[in-house]
Amino acid sequence: MSKLVGRLTLFGAPLLVGALFIVLFTVLFATKPEPERAEVEPRPSAVFVAQAEAEPVQLVVRTQGEVRPLTEIDLTAQVAGRIDYVAPNFVQGGFFRAGETLVRLEDADYRLAVTRAEALVAQRRQQLTREEAEAELAAEEWESLGEGEASPLTLRVPQLEEARAQLAAAEASLAEARLNLSRTRISAPFDGRVRAKLADLGQYVGPGTRIGRVFSTGKAEIRLPLSDSELETLGMPLAFQASEEVDGPDVTLSAVLAGERREWQGEVVRTDSAIDPQTRTLYAIVEVDDPYGSAAEAAGAPLAMGLFVEAAIEGRAIERAYVLPRSALRGENEIYVANRDGTLSIRTAEVIDANSDEVVLASGVQEGEHVVISPIRAAAEGMRITPLGPDGEPLDGFGPSEPEDESQSDTTGEDAATVARAG
């Protein structure tokens, strides 16, 4: 019997302890206090703002283009011959003056042709003089011996006209010989630079052979693509042509050369004859006077051909508009305005112009209001915001009216209770 009791005690004690632990855990879990739920108000979103101020605005259209010479030609030989002289500055990139001899062909044959033509002219002039004398003598003889009206042949009129025609032909041959002689000297009719040299000393060339390619340094032109909205910003018609009475818009061209930004001044002189069918844009032609002279002195560097430049074209003038950072515009025409009570207002604005840096508004905001210029997530009408200035500090005068000081309320309540107990 004692052995049975011992076995029950050995196996029953752990079971009893486990059962008591389960009961105790269940009671504690059922009687634990419920946690208090605290309602937390969402914190206002901090946003950077810019103040809207109305001011006169000069609209600007920004585009890009490549600098090209206004005049560029191929130098070609008009007569045949071997090149016996090449100017030292007739090299790629060389400068030259108008009329300067760049290439000269052997001219011995052409000088001989001039000499022969001069001799022929002298011979024909002598023949004409003799025929004029014989015609005069024939007229005198007819007046002395003849009767009635003399025939042209009697007065030697055909012979005289033939002599005159032969002299004119000889003089034309002389002029042609002299012209061919002058064409042995190849030059350009303008001041310019050499783009390419295609022939050299000792080379034989024929009529039409390309000697080189040159361009004028008098004017440079830049073709700038403009969209329909940019044309409207400029207030320029499709078929624009500058004249003495109508000036074209001023253009500021800029590019980085030798690590420094340079600027050149130009003018829109005309628009292209047709809209580009591929890009659907119309090109405006800008001209810059003396790109290697006065324009280079003003900019500190020449406006080199082939340079890719940025262009700022002066557009229409607006008497009153709001200029804000580009980040103020949301979508096509929405802006976010910070209200004085610390809430957000979403408005539709009338956009006059917009580029990568600025946006120009005609309406949608009032003078002195603050427009949000920083990103904001899940923007909604009336959401709480904290406007920040440029220094990152909250702006004064924004947010709900300040509540009554809680510390003063608590103190007043304690004092009232003390007075009541004393009474």
Side-chain angles (χ1 to χ4, degrees):
M1 185 67 179
S2 58
K3 291 182 178 181
L4 179 60
V5 172
R7 289 179 179 177
L8 291 175
T9 303
L10 179 62
F11 293 103
L15 295 176
L16 180 61
V17 172
L20 290 175
F21 178 78
I22 293 174
V23 172
L24 179 62
F25 179 79
T26 303
V27 171
L28 292 176
F29 183 79
T31 59
K32 71 176 182 178
E34 291 289 334
E36 295 183 0
R37 296 181 178 274
E39 295 185 1
V40 180
E41 294 185 1
R43 296 180 59 184
S45 300
V47 294
F48 285 94
V49 295
Q51 189 172 9
E53 296 180 355
E55 58 182 308
V57 176
Q58 178 70 59
L59 298 181
V60 175
V61 171
R62 301 187 183 278
T63 181
Q64 298 173 327
E66 181 182 350
V67 181
R68 299 178 180 178
L70 179 63
T71 304
E72 185 171 10
I73 63 172
D74 286 332
L75 289 180
T76 57
Q78 293 180 279
V79 295
R82 187 176 64 87
I83 298 176
D84 67 353
Y85 170 78
V86 175
N89 54 351
F90 186 62
V91 291
Q92 188 168 347
F95 287 87
F96 58 86
R97 293 292 183 183
E100 178 183 354
T101 299
L102 301 177
V103 175
R104 186 184 64 207
L105 306 181
E106 285 184 340
D107 58 2
D109 293 339
Y110 299 98
R111 290 184 181 278
L112 292 175
V114 170
T115 301
R116 287 194 295 268
E118 289 175 342
L120 182 60
V121 167
Q123 181 181 355
R124 299 305 184 193
R125 186 172 289 119
Q126 181 184 7
Q127 291 178 359
L128 176 61
T129 302
R130 186 173 60 250
E131 287 296 336
E132 288 176 342
E134 291 180 358
E136 184 178 355
L137 181 59
E140 291 177 356
E141 290 178 353
W142 180 260
E143 289 180 0
S144 301
L145 304 175
E147 295 180 0
E149 185 178 356
S151 65
L153 187 59
T154 303
L155 299 178
R156 301 187 65 83
V157 173
Q159 294 85 339
L160 183 61
E161 291 179 351
E162 180 183 4
R164 288 173 179 170
Q166 289 180 352
L167 176 61
E171 290 177 342
S173 298
L174 176 60
E176 182 181 11
R178 288 174 176 172
L179 182 60
N180 288 335
L181 177 62
S182 67
R183 286 172 174 172
T184 60
R185 299 176 179 270
I186 301 173
S187 62
F190 48 72
D191 295 347
R193 297 191 71 179
V194 179
R195 184 184 289 274
K197 178 182 179 182
L198 305 177
D200 213 334
L201 188 67
Q203 181 176 345
Y204 182 85
V205 297
T209 302
R210 294 175 63 198
I211 304 298
R213 188 165 183 83
V214 298
F215 62 84
S216 171
T217 56
K219 286 182 182 290
E221 72 171 18
I222 304 94
R223 299 177 73 245
L224 302 176
L226 298 174
S227 63
D228 185 68
S229 60
E230 289 172 336
L231 286 172
E232 192 274 334
T233 300
L234 295 176
M236 191 168 60
L238 291 178
F240 174 76
Q241 177 71 51
S243 62
E244 295 182 358
E245 295 78 16
V246 180
D247 293 331
D250 293 331
V251 182
T252 299
L253 305 170
S254 61
V256 176
L257 285 178
E260 184 177 348
R261 180 162 288 275
R262 318 280 183 169
E263 290 188 351
W264 302 267
Q265 301 301 316
E267 180 185 2
V268 177
V269 295
R270 65 185 183 278
T271 56
D272 215 341
S273 58
I275 295 176
D276 190 310
Q278 296 180 346
T279 62
R280 310 311 304 171
T281 56
L282 183 69
Y283 283 87
I285 312 301
V286 175
E287 287 188 1
V288 178
D289 293 332
D290 199 9
Y292 289 88
S294 59
E297 294 176 0
L303 184 60
M305 301 301 122
L307 183 66
F308 197 75
V309 294
E310 299 175 359
I313 309 175
E314 187 177 287
R316 294 183 292 115
I318 307 297
E319 294 183 0
R320 180 182 174 87
Y322 301 94
V323 181
L324 296 168
R326 181 62 176 83
S327 56
L329 187 63
R330 319 287 170 153
E332 292 186 358
N333 58 357
E334 280 191 351
I335 58 172
Y336 298 160
V337 178
N339 297 323
R340 286 291 176 178
D341 61 357
T343 60
L344 183 70
S345 176
I346 301 177
R347 303 182 187 176
T348 300
E350 181 183 350
V351 181
I352 299 177
D353 186 33
N355 54 50
S356 59
D357 299 323
E358 296 177 337
V359 59
V360 182
L361 305 179
S363 64
V365 66
Q366 299 295 327
E367 179 81 17
E369 288 187 322
H370 290 75
V371 180
V372 178
I373 60 174
S374 62
I376 181 171
R377 289 186 177 182
E381 183 74 25
M383 71 179 294
R384 307 292 301 176
I385 58 174
T386 300
L388 305 178
D391 55 359
E393 296 295 328
L395 297 180
D396 296 333
F398 285 85
S401 58
E402 297 183 358
E404 187 178 357
D405 192 346
E406 294 180 358
S407 62
Q408 293 183 357
S409 300
D410 295 343
T411 304
T412 304
E414 292 176 359
D415 293 343
T418 302
V419 172
R421 285 195 299 270

